[in-house]
Amino acid sequence: MTEDEINSAGEWLWVPHQTEVYVAGKVLEKSKRSVKVQSEDGQIHSASTRDSFEMKRSSLKRIVEDLTLLDNMSAPLILNDLRRRFENEDIYTNVGTILISINPYERYDI
């Protein structure tokens, strides 16, 4: 098994986060009421089980130009894709025939 396969093994969830809205994390502990996850940066996050969303870790590796191509249309995955595209200076993203533009607060030669 590769290191990536070992790290991705197990259950992964989206949990609410105060500044990032949602973060993805590997489940460390889970009960009927709460869940504790470890994000990719090693931080531990706790949340209510009802506020968390199941996810496939492989969906974090894939950034799409058109959000209709996402594995599922959940708010956490959409926000993650938009954030990662913005970090790559891709400020335009499609949702079918709809265009989303995120203001970079700087001039681009378009």
Side-chain angles (χ1 to χ4, degrees):
M1 251 183 174
T2 66
E3 183 178 340
D4 195 40
E5 289 172 330
I6 292 168
N7 292 334
S8 65
E11 184 179 10
W12 282 73
L13 296 174
W14 289 108
V15 295
H17 188 270
Q18 192 170 9
T19 57
E20 296 292 326
V21 185
Y22 290 98
V23 293
K26 184 177 180 177
V27 175
L28 300 174
E29 296 176 20
K30 188 175 181 181
S31 68
K32 288 185 179 184
R33 293 188 176 190
S34 65
V35 64
K36 187 183 286 188
V37 301
Q38 183 175 15
S39 58
E40 290 183 305
D41 63 5
Q43 293 186 16
I44 306 296
H45 305 276
S46 297
S48 166
T49 303
R50 66 186 165 122
D51 294 333
S52 61
F53 297 90
E54 290 184 11
M55 63 164 292
K56 295 178 186 174
R57 184 167 186 290
S58 60
S59 61
L60 292 177
K61 302 231 184 254
R62 193 169 151 234
I63 302 173
V64 297
E65 292 181 16
D66 188 337
L67 296 178
T68 60
L69 301 174
L70 289 173
D71 295 335
N72 68 27
M73 291 290 278
S74 66
L77 191 55
I78 291 169
L79 292 171
N80 179 70
D81 194 77
L82 291 172
R83 180 179 44 81
R84 292 190 51 208
R85 288 182 56 73
F86 180 80
E87 289 168 353
N88 291 335
E89 297 184 1
D90 294 326
I91 62 169
Y92 299 112
T93 305
N94 292 306
V95 183
T97 59
I98 299 168
L99 178 67
I100 296 174
S101 175
I102 300 177
N103 189 343
Y105 299 103
E106 60 185 67
R107 281 213 178 273
Y108 281 176
D109 293 327
I110 300 178

